[in-house]
Amino acid sequence: MARDKGEAKSGFQLKVPKGTKDWDGKDMVIRDKIFRTITDVFKRHGAVTIDTPVFELKEILSGKYGEDSKLIYDLADQGGELCSLRYDLTVPFARWLAMNSSIQSIKRYHIAKVYRRDQPAMTKGRMREFYQCDFDIAGIYDPMLPDAEILRITCEIFEALGWKGRYTIKINHRKILDGIFEVCGVPTDKLRTISSAVDKLDKSPWDEVRKEMTEEKGLDRAVADEIGKYVQQKGGRDLLTELQKDEKLSSNTSAKQGLADMDLLFTYLDTFGVVERISFDMSLARGLDYYTGVIYEVVTEGSAPQTGEGQKIQQRAKKEPKSRNGVNFDGDEDRSNDPSVGVGSVAAGGRYDQLVGMFSGKKDIPCVGVSFGVERIFSIEKARLEAEKTQSSVRTNEVDVFVMAFGGSLLTERMQVCKQLWDAGIKAEFSWKVKPKLPQQFKAAETNGVPFAVILGDTEWAEGKVKIKEMGLSEDHPDKNGVPVEVKNLVEEVQKRLEDSEKVGTDVEALEKMGEVKIEDAEEAPKTS
């Protein structure tokens, strides 16, 4: 019997676990650009970086994520310690702060993998293993200043990625929500569970959320209706002004404080020039238990499910137990092609002032932060490149110069030129054939999107010269066949051209000028380590 593709001789099928994937090729190039863009912005704002273990003691993670705690991956007992894979980077950061009591203030970033046993939708960036890029500010500062800078950082990152305003930052305040729940009559012991229900309004219509509140969580129908009057509102500073006029909210201590914070925040966001990206969305609740103040998440095209009916189906499916051979399971199938599943938020965060104190048992260290989901950003970025027909132009390496020979071997000479360029920090490569054919060398350079070629010929080399050719020039361009330069001046000439050229790097808009390069032609290209 023929074996399935990928099936090993031992009888098991070679595959990665559900909700995970291998990354390679141009996908890695796109991801690397995302990582570099995010890191550059983090460093611009003065952050230092830390790292923490990929797994934590189970008790560290327990009770921090509300209803999502069921998604934590627990590990088998090893040596008497019960551990779990980290669910996010925020709780480990708070644990780290509690263990390092000498640090009372820090601006840190952390880029690492986290794990959630969620239902995967791989092409939409909804995975079980994925990268988060976190930026957090810890310490006692005047109100809303760190919060405003976090939102400014968020805008800088998406603008640097080329999203050009095609995103919205939804913001709300936990104290305003708590105040609303209190004035509407929600019992104290139901505050968090009702908050989790409200948070589903971006995926489900109000009728479904109200039904969950009343039928599943036992909330009085009249109370639910009062909540509905508030949480279905969204706007900008105009909504804030209306809420400040609400006598019931103004008389509530929690809501009054939250509204004052938001008023100050809008002022700072206006100063930072990002207020046009903000939507004050009363339905935003963020289900995680540790948030205490301002909360926010970033959405864009593709974040939401595509159909309203699909939203209802998705919610019902989550509530109905499924079984396979009599064994219940919580949905392992990939739902990439399900129109009821969207990418979700691409970044989210908020203020969490009491989490560190929960670990240390001592004085709290106020914190505020944001987390970017790289795989979700990637899924939207890849779709954008495909729509703009630029994905095929993404370079699989960053080589700036291909050193090639015309009409002979010149192997050691090519090696000497590459050494000269490498010593100067210039990215270069050459064909690993003793006598390469010129068309094959050009094809290798074009396939990898290399912007410049240095061409060696027997006669020119004997005269101490080579040619520098800019790739992709039109047939009638005067420098189409290259420009002669002295070998002794080669590094200087290449550096000058690289500085002047818009083709350097992996910026897709610049690569379009070089013409489309087909990735499938890469088989003919020399492989670099």
Side-chain angles (χ1 to χ4, degrees):
M1 182 179 294
R3 295 182 182 274
D4 292 337
K5 183 179 180 180
E7 188 174 349
K9 292 182 179 180
S10 59
F12 64 86
Q13 185 179 9
L14 286 175
K15 62 185 292 291
V16 296
K18 290 178 180 177
T20 68
K21 67 169 292 184
D22 296 320
W23 297 87
D24 55 33
K26 57 187 176 181
D27 284 357
M28 281 299 296
V29 177
I30 298 171
R31 273 163 55 93
D32 184 58
K33 177 188 175 183
I34 294 170
F35 282 125
R36 286 188 286 109
T37 300
I38 292 174
T39 302
D40 287 347
V41 175
F42 286 171
K43 290 181 177 180
R44 184 187 306 152
H45 286 262
V48 298
T49 189
I50 70 167
D51 194 15
T52 62
V54 73
F55 52 89
E56 297 274 351
L57 293 177
K58 183 177 180 179
E59 60 187 352
I60 294 292
L61 304 183
S62 298
K64 310 300 187 303
Y65 303 108
E67 295 182 358
D68 285 345
S69 293
K70 64 181 181 292
L71 303 179
I72 294 174
Y73 270 105
D74 292 330
L75 303 178
D77 186 346
Q78 299 286 344
E81 288 188 335
L82 294 177
C83 297
S84 302
L85 294 177
R86 61 188 173 203
Y87 178 91
D88 65 6
L89 302 178
T90 303
V91 171
F93 174 55
R95 188 266 306 153
W96 179 85
L97 280 173
M99 291 180 62
N100 294 271
S101 57
S102 62
I103 299 175
Q104 294 297 305
S105 63
I106 187 174
K107 188 185 291 185
R108 86 84 166 91
Y109 74 91
H110 188 186
I111 297 177
K113 289 182 177 180
V114 299
Y115 300 84
R116 299 180 186 179
R117 201 189 185 288
D118 205 350
Q119 189 170 27
M122 301 296 289
T123 64
K124 298 176 181 178
R126 302 176 74 93
M127 305 173 69
R128 291 179 170 179
E129 178 191 62
F130 56 95
Y131 269 99
Q132 284 190 337
C133 302
D134 280 25
F135 185 103
D136 293 81
I137 300 173
I140 300 175
Y141 303 99
D142 285 342
M144 309 316 296
L145 284 169
D147 311 66
E149 184 164 351
I150 291 284
L151 294 172
R152 166 69 194 193
I153 288 167
T154 301
C155 288
E156 285 185 23
I157 285 173
F158 287 112
E159 290 301 319
L161 287 171
W163 289 25
K164 300 176 182 178
R166 292 176 292 192
Y167 60 93
T168 299
I169 304 177
K170 301 195 297 185
I171 65 172
N172 202 359
H173 200 296
R174 265 289 175 78
K175 290 184 178 179
I176 296 177
L177 274 176
D178 288 346
I180 289 172
F181 296 153
E182 289 174 11
V183 300
C184 291
V186 177
T188 303
D189 62 345
K190 292 185 182 294
L191 287 177
R192 283 293 164 256
T193 186
I194 296 303
S195 180
S196 294
V198 169
D199 197 43
K200 296 174 183 176
L201 277 171
D202 64 333
K203 307 179 186 72
S204 304
W206 167 246
D207 289 345
E208 288 288 318
V209 172
R210 182 183 182 277
K211 184 177 179 180
E212 178 179 334
M213 288 180 176
T214 57
E215 297 185 12
E216 295 181 24
K217 299 182 175 178
L219 189 66
D220 184 271
R221 288 182 173 82
V223 174
D225 290 338
E226 284 298 309
I227 293 173
K229 296 176 182 178
Y230 287 103
V231 298
Q232 296 183 77
Q233 298 184 68
K234 62 180 66 176
R237 195 154 198 167
D238 55 337
L239 175 57
L240 176 63
T241 301
E242 289 300 313
L243 293 174
Q244 288 173 322
K245 296 176 181 178
D246 189 306
E247 294 183 359
K248 289 195 296 184
L249 290 183
S250 298
S251 63
N252 180 273
T253 302
S254 176
K256 185 176 181 180
Q257 179 60 56
L259 291 169
D261 283 348
M262 292 293 283
D263 194 19
L264 195 56
L265 179 63
F266 268 107
T267 298
Y268 294 152
L269 294 178
D270 189 36
T271 301
F272 278 152
V274 298
V275 74
E276 69 276 5
R277 301 268 65 83
I278 303 298
S279 171
F280 185 11
D281 192 326
M282 300 297 293
S283 70
L284 179 63
R286 303 288 297 145
L288 305 182
D289 281 354
Y290 52 67
Y291 288 122
T292 59
V294 172
I295 48 178
Y296 32 80
E297 66 181 28
V298 182
V299 295
T300 185
E301 296 176 7
S303 288
Q306 297 175 13
T307 64
E309 183 60 30
Q311 295 170 6
K312 297 180 182 180
I313 295 172
Q314 182 183 28
Q315 291 304 311
R316 287 198 297 269
K318 286 184 176 181
K319 298 167 189 173
E320 295 170 358
K322 301 178 182 180
S323 64
R324 194 174 283 161
N325 297 325
V327 179
N328 287 336
F329 69 102
D330 59 354
D332 288 333
E333 302 306 321
D334 189 330
R335 301 184 66 185
S336 295
N337 297 321
D338 188 341
S340 71
V341 178
V343 172
S345 61
V346 292
R351 176 160 288 279
Y352 52 103
D353 288 345
Q354 299 167 7
L355 188 55
V356 177
M358 291 173 62
F359 292 127
S360 68
K362 300 177 182 178
K363 184 178 180 181
D364 285 319
I365 299 179
C367 300
V368 63
V370 64
S371 178
F372 297 84
V374 171
E375 278 69 29
R376 295 187 181 192
I377 293 173
F378 166 84
S379 69
I380 292 176
E381 184 72 358
K382 185 175 181 179
R384 181 178 71 86
L385 294 178
E386 288 175 343
E388 295 174 0
K389 302 186 183 302
T390 55
Q391 186 191 357
S392 60
S393 301
V394 175
R395 292 171 59 182
T396 54
N397 65 35
E398 296 185 9
V399 170
D400 293 322
V401 180
F402 197 101
V403 179
M404 56 184 70
F406 175 74
S409 170
L410 296 172
L411 175 60
T412 57
E413 291 82 357
R414 286 183 285 136
M415 295 172 69
Q416 290 174 22
V417 171
C418 272
K419 176 184 179 298
Q420 187 179 356
L421 296 172
W422 292 335
D423 287 345
I426 297 171
K427 304 180 185 73
E429 66 178 354
F430 65 101
S431 173
W432 291 342
K433 290 187 176 181
V434 175
K435 294 183 178 181
K437 296 180 180 179
L438 191 62
Q440 291 179 340
Q441 295 175 86
F442 271 112
K443 185 175 183 179
E446 292 167 356
T447 297
N448 287 334
V450 180
F452 292 97
V454 171
I455 304 173
L456 282 63
D458 289 319
T459 302
E460 292 86 346
W461 184 261
E463 297 174 352
K465 295 180 180 181
V466 295
K467 282 185 177 181
I468 298 179
K469 172 179 169 56
E470 183 175 347
M471 303 292 287
L473 295 178
S474 61
E475 291 294 332
D476 58 351
H477 196 284
D479 296 334
K480 170 68 177 177
N481 296 320
V483 178
V485 299
E486 300 283 341
V487 174
K488 63 182 179 181
N489 299 327
L490 177 60
V491 168
E492 181 182 351
E493 292 290 338
V494 169
Q495 288 174 333
K496 181 178 183 299
R497 284 165 172 78
L498 290 175
E499 290 173 0
D500 294 342
S501 174
E502 296 180 354
K503 299 183 178 71
V504 177
T506 58
D507 184 88
V508 292
E509 293 181 358
L511 286 168
E512 281 185 291
K513 299 176 184 177
M514 295 166 53
E516 292 191 350
V517 177
K518 295 183 179 179
I519 298 299
E520 55 264 30
D521 290 340
E523 292 180 351
E524 298 296 327
K527 301 297 186 291
T528 57
S529 58

